[in-house]
Amino acid sequence: MSSILQFFQRGLQKTKTSLLRSIQGLFNKDLGKWTDETYEELEAALIRTDLGFEITHGLLAEIRDRYERGLIATQEDILAIGRQTVYAKLTQKPDPPIRWAEEGPTVILMVGVNGSGKTTSIAKLANYYMQQGKKVLLGAGDTFRAAGVEQLCIWAERLGCPVVGGKQGGDAAAVAFDAVRSGRQKGVDLILIDTAGRQHTRVDLMGELEKVKRVISKEYPQAPHEIWLTVDSSIGTNALVQAREFGRLFPISGLILTKLDGTGKGGVVVAIKDELGYPVRFVGIGEQKDDIQPFDPEAFSHALFE
Ligand SMILES: Nc1nc2c(ncn2[C@@H]2O[C@H](COP(=O)(O)OP(=O)(O)OP(=O)(O)O)[C@@H](O)[C@H]2O)c(=O)[nH]1
Ligand SMILES: [Mg+2]
């Protein structure tokens, strides 16, 4: 079994278990007598995973059609429909590739609301890319929170990765500027810049983020090459709303879906991809350095319906 499949199986454990229980329930009933109520139960189970309205109803229609044609005999028949439908949805539109710098370091700016997993994801990504042989430098740009800079510095030390930090209450844009300059001087491959958490509704803080971006590009015109938004998937449909609102105000080029491990609403990944069209770059399933992997539609759909 591939390790990427195991990764998504671990991340979708809760979502899958509740879904499977509901599907098993359908087969405890007399298979010859599915009623509207049966479909309603199935619908409720799919809705609970936060797959989204469109895909839930597409799936139900497909299941109903095949049932009426006598093509559903086991729960595996339903799971197969789920796998195919979700995989097709996730791969419908090709995602734009990550914009790697053609020359010099690639700069990725991490943004998102408070506690969505920015700092931890940066540490996990640093580890991921270091394992691929890349030289990584971190910019600890969360000068807002008391322990914001320290948290990333501790990670940097643990990972053996250089970090440029600032003082609490200092200028986040200045830290980003210094990190980019230092990373270019050191000739690193990748610079990951952390920012303080913010709600999209805070006009002043969104303005500050604009400034961070502007100042980075003053030092290094092509940068930031990517702006990634971390979204906590355990908040289900609210994650969709959050990503949409943030994206209206700030040019997001990719999403990191965090905390998939803690939720029974893992279907939200499908809803987010389908409704927003942002590429899902990585998925986080825990607090350890290895708990991140690139999003993989095939492994995801298999792990969800198995
Ligand atoms: N279970 C789980 N916990 C996570 C994951 N990612 C982050 N966390 C935890 O969520 C909490 C918040 O993560 P942070 O990385 O500090 O989030 P942040 O966006 O940097 O937060 P602020 O800087 O306060 O805005 C921490 O306790 C993390 O350990 C994940 O994928 N799974
Ligand atoms: Mg943080």
Side-chain angles (χ1 to χ4, degrees):
M1 191 178 0
S2 80
S3 63
I4 190 83
L5 179 58
Q6 282 172 339
F7 176 89
F8 281 98
Q9 283 170 331
R10 200 148 61 81
L12 287 168
Q13 189 69 40
K14 284 193 185 163
T15 310
K16 186 196 75 178
T17 306
S18 93
L19 195 57
L20 202 59
R21 202 175 297 134
S22 308
I23 293 175
Q24 274 161 352
L26 303 181
F27 288 91
N28 291 336
K29 297 192 164 79
D30 184 350
L31 190 61
K33 286 191 197 127
W34 277 9
T35 60
D36 281 346
E37 201 189 311
T38 317
Y39 291 109
E40 277 161 27
E41 277 171 32
L42 187 55
E43 180 181 19
L46 291 168
I47 287 173
R48 275 196 297 276
T49 70
D50 276 346
L51 274 167
F53 182 84
E54 205 192 308
I55 190 131
T56 294
H57 288 273
L59 258 172
L60 277 174
E62 184 67 25
I63 291 167
R64 189 186 281 264
D65 175 63
R66 291 209 207 168
Y67 176 79
E68 282 166 8
R69 290 193 286 139
L71 298 175
I72 291 183
T74 65
Q75 66 185 38
E76 172 51 26
D77 296 327
I78 292 189
L79 295 174
I81 298 171
R83 278 198 295 275
Q84 287 152 13
T85 311
V86 165
Y87 179 76
K89 202 74 191 169
L90 289 172
T91 51
Q92 205 169 32
K93 285 172 263 164
D95 286 329
I98 295 177
R99 258 186 70 213
W100 293 107
E102 281 168 21
E103 218 191 306
T106 300
V107 179
I108 302 176
L109 184 64
M110 199 68 74
V111 303
V113 308
N114 311 73
S116 56
K118 294 174 292 299
T119 307
T120 312
S121 296
I122 286 188
K124 291 190 270 187
L125 287 169
N127 178 62
Y128 177 84
Y129 284 116
M130 284 165 76
Q131 281 183 345
Q132 310 218 329
K134 304 262 190 240
K135 283 168 81 177
V136 181
L137 178 136
L138 307 181
D142 179 2
T143 52
F144 188 73
R145 206 158 53 77
V149 172
E150 197 191 343
Q151 189 189 350
L152 193 62
C153 290
I154 292 171
W155 269 113
E157 197 182 346
R158 214 185 285 166
L159 298 169
C161 166
V163 60
V164 171
K167 287 196 179 66
Q168 195 204 341
D171 183 6
V175 176
F177 182 91
D178 289 346
V180 169
R181 174 167 284 179
S182 167
R184 290 179 93 189
Q185 279 166 356
K186 285 189 163 72
V188 302
D189 303 301
L190 180 63
I191 303 172
L192 296 163
I193 299 181
D194 197 12
T195 61
R198 68 201 71 219
Q199 301 286 335
H200 72 273
T201 46
R202 285 288 300 269
V203 178
D204 53 339
L205 296 181
M206 292 307 284
E208 186 197 70
L209 215 47
E210 273 298 330
K211 185 179 161 200
V212 171
K213 179 166 157 272
R214 202 167 56 237
V215 167
I216 291 174
S217 60
K218 219 184 267 172
E219 162 67 14
Y220 185 14
Q222 301 83 355
H225 303 83
E226 292 277 319
I227 301 176
W228 288 354
L229 177 73
T230 51
V231 185
D232 175 350
S233 35
S234 71
I235 61 175
T237 312
N238 290 334
L240 177 72
V241 176
Q242 207 178 77
R244 183 187 291 131
E245 294 307 318
F246 223 101
R248 282 206 177 114
L249 295 168
F250 209 65
I252 303 302
S253 62
L255 302 179
I256 312 272
L257 296 177
T258 64
K259 311 189 194 182
L260 197 64
D261 53 310
T263 180
K265 298 171 176 298
V268 76
V269 175
V270 185
I272 287 182
K273 252 189 92 57
D274 188 36
E275 291 183 34
L276 298 180
Y278 291 128
V280 177
R281 301 293 193 195
F282 281 87
V283 173
I285 63 159
E287 304 182 81
Q288 305 303 317
K289 65 179 177 14
D290 290 319
D291 293 335
I292 204 162
Q293 283 294 330
F295 182 57
D296 183 315
E298 192 179 358
F300 181 91
S301 34
H302 266 82
L304 185 57
F305 294 98
E306 70 169 359

